[in-house]
Amino acid sequence: MEVTGDAGVPESGEIRTVKPCLLRRNHSREQHGVAASCLEDLRSKACDILAIDKSLTPVTLVLAEDGTIVDDDDYFLCLPSNTKFVALANNEKWAYNNSDGGTAWISQESFDVDETDRGAGLKWKNVARQLKEDLSSIILLSEEDLQMLVDAPCADLAQELLQSCAAVQQLQHTLQQVLDQREEVRQSKQLLQLYLEALEKEGSLLSKQEESKAALGEEADAVDTGISRETSSDVTLASHILTALREKPAPELSLSSQDLELVTREDPKALAVALNWDIRKTETVQEACERELALRLQQMQSLHALRSISARKASPPGEQQNPKRAKQEPT
């Protein structure tokens, strides 16, 4: 919906885009429909329509669905039309409001379970929207995101992607194949690691060399730990990334592309201290993450190239590739 500028608009004649929203107070079921161009506009109208005293400002806007605080205009513009907002006055906290009126007896325990399920549902829907915008983003998804889409109800996923159930079933089958391929690569790397370890144990010379290297490595780790202990706080990786690096046999296959990029950017010494590894093992894992990231980006570029070729072939023969510029009117 677009309206022309009027009183309250920064400049006369300027066009602004407004979003229809639904507003209510906390602990209230009465909703008001408003149209706002930004968060500040919505706060101002909330104070007027909901009769919020100016002494109770500033007003905080949260999503009625889960209490998420909305304080960014870009995020506000990304929300769908008729999103429900709750206006919270100063020092007021969001509380769940059962608006259907027929289940007011619901227990707090079951409500907590519903909230958990709703959070999981919102998460897979966000991943589905990302997939809807660009199908090639499958390559960049983590194993957790892929598994969520595979486990999502087929009918709900079809509705979210605006596809038929048959097409969504084929998509889920493809996603499962991607997961299976990553698991096969992980198992292959595990077998290779076991084979290399067996080779090292066969020769006594190799064993002695490994023992001496281990002793030197421990001394070097002790020195590095003493020198670099203060750098451990410099590691900015999230806990789930560090957990995957420690526990997964091939962590580069479990992480998303964004997580892989963060791992490759970390200082090897600081990361080694955080993981309690030697520097050589840390650099090996970072190199594996870098190779996996490069492979995924190359696959994405190939998909985009194929998509461009298909689009050109599908265009009508008489369509002009470079339409003429509009003739400019003489000034």
Side-chain angles (χ1 to χ4, degrees):
M1 180 189 302
E2 290 187 351
V3 296
T4 56
D6 203 343
V9 180
E11 294 183 4
S12 178
E14 182 181 352
I15 296 178
R16 63 173 183 173
T17 302
V18 296
K19 182 188 297 294
C21 306
L22 296 175
L23 273 175
R24 67 173 175 84
R25 287 295 300 271
N26 208 15
H27 307 293
S28 173
R29 295 180 183 176
E30 183 179 358
Q31 296 185 142
H32 299 268
V34 298
S37 59
C38 61
L39 281 175
E40 189 61 34
D41 187 19
L42 187 59
R43 289 193 190 97
S44 176
K45 292 185 177 181
C47 292
D48 296 338
I49 296 175
L50 301 178
I52 299 177
D53 192 89
K54 292 184 178 181
S55 62
L56 300 178
T57 56
V59 172
T60 302
L61 296 174
V62 301
L63 297 180
E65 182 180 26
D66 56 7
T68 299
I69 298 176
V70 182
D71 54 5
D72 181 73
D73 275 316
D74 292 335
Y75 181 75
F76 170 74
L77 294 176
C78 293
L79 293 174
S81 298
N82 295 318
T83 297
K84 296 181 180 180
F85 291 91
V86 175
L88 301 178
N90 189 22
N91 297 328
E92 193 175 11
K93 294 184 179 181
W94 174 83
Y96 176 76
N97 182 19
N98 185 21
S99 59
D100 60 12
T103 56
W105 48 267
I106 187 170
S107 66
Q108 182 63 35
E109 180 179 358
S110 61
F111 166 69
D112 292 339
V113 174
D114 291 341
E115 285 298 299
T116 303
D117 294 340
R118 183 184 291 111
L122 288 175
K123 191 172 182 180
W124 77 255
K125 287 184 179 180
N126 290 333
V127 178
R129 294 188 186 105
Q130 179 182 351
L131 196 63
K132 180 181 177 182
E133 294 176 359
D134 187 3
L135 188 60
S136 61
S137 62
I138 292 177
I139 303 171
L140 305 178
L141 297 178
S142 65
E143 288 184 334
E144 181 184 0
D145 293 339
L146 292 173
Q147 191 63 54
M148 280 194 302
L149 293 178
V150 171
D151 297 337
C154 182
D156 295 343
L157 185 57
Q159 183 179 2
E160 190 68 32
L161 297 177
L162 302 179
Q163 299 288 337
S164 64
C165 285
V168 170
Q169 287 177 352
Q170 182 63 34
L171 174 62
Q172 289 180 316
H173 178 68
T174 302
L175 297 178
Q176 186 62 56
Q177 286 181 331
V178 174
L179 286 172
D180 294 341
Q181 289 174 359
R182 294 189 183 182
E183 182 62 27
E184 289 175 2
V185 174
R186 181 183 295 108
Q187 292 178 359
S188 299
K189 289 189 175 184
Q190 283 182 284
L191 291 175
L192 179 59
Q193 184 65 29
L194 292 174
Y195 175 71
L196 293 176
E197 291 176 359
L199 287 180
E200 291 178 357
K201 293 179 181 179
E202 285 182 358
S204 58
L205 292 178
L206 290 177
S207 297
K208 291 180 180 179
Q209 291 177 357
E210 289 298 325
E211 289 176 2
S212 62
K213 289 180 180 179
L216 292 175
E218 290 177 359
E219 294 177 0
D221 290 342
V223 174
D224 291 340
T225 302
I227 297 175
S228 309
R229 187 177 301 275
E230 67 279 1
T231 64
S232 62
S233 61
D234 295 337
V235 176
T236 57
L237 297 180
S239 59
H240 75 276
I241 301 178
L242 295 175
T243 301
L245 292 175
R246 291 192 190 99
E247 300 178 357
K248 297 292 185 179
E252 67 275 8
L253 300 177
S254 302
L255 299 173
S256 66
S257 298
Q258 184 179 5
D259 294 340
L260 291 175
E261 187 174 359
L262 293 176
V263 173
T264 58
R265 290 181 178 179
E266 279 295 340
D267 178 66
K269 292 183 179 179
L271 185 58
V273 173
L275 296 173
N276 197 21
W277 287 355
D278 59 83
I279 190 66
R280 185 175 180 181
K281 181 177 180 181
T282 303
E283 290 176 344
T284 301
V285 171
Q286 283 185 305
E287 291 172 0
C289 291
E290 188 173 357
R291 288 194 299 270
E292 177 65 19
L293 180 61
L295 177 61
R296 295 186 188 180
L297 294 178
Q298 184 180 5
Q299 290 174 342
M300 277 204 66
Q301 291 174 357
S302 300
L303 286 175
H304 284 302
L306 290 174
R307 184 179 298 172
S308 299
I309 294 174
S310 300
R312 287 199 299 269
K313 289 183 177 180
S315 61
E319 183 179 353
Q320 294 181 355
Q321 297 297 329
N322 297 317
K324 296 181 179 179
R325 297 180 179 177
K327 183 177 179 181
Q328 298 181 352
E329 296 182 0
T331 57

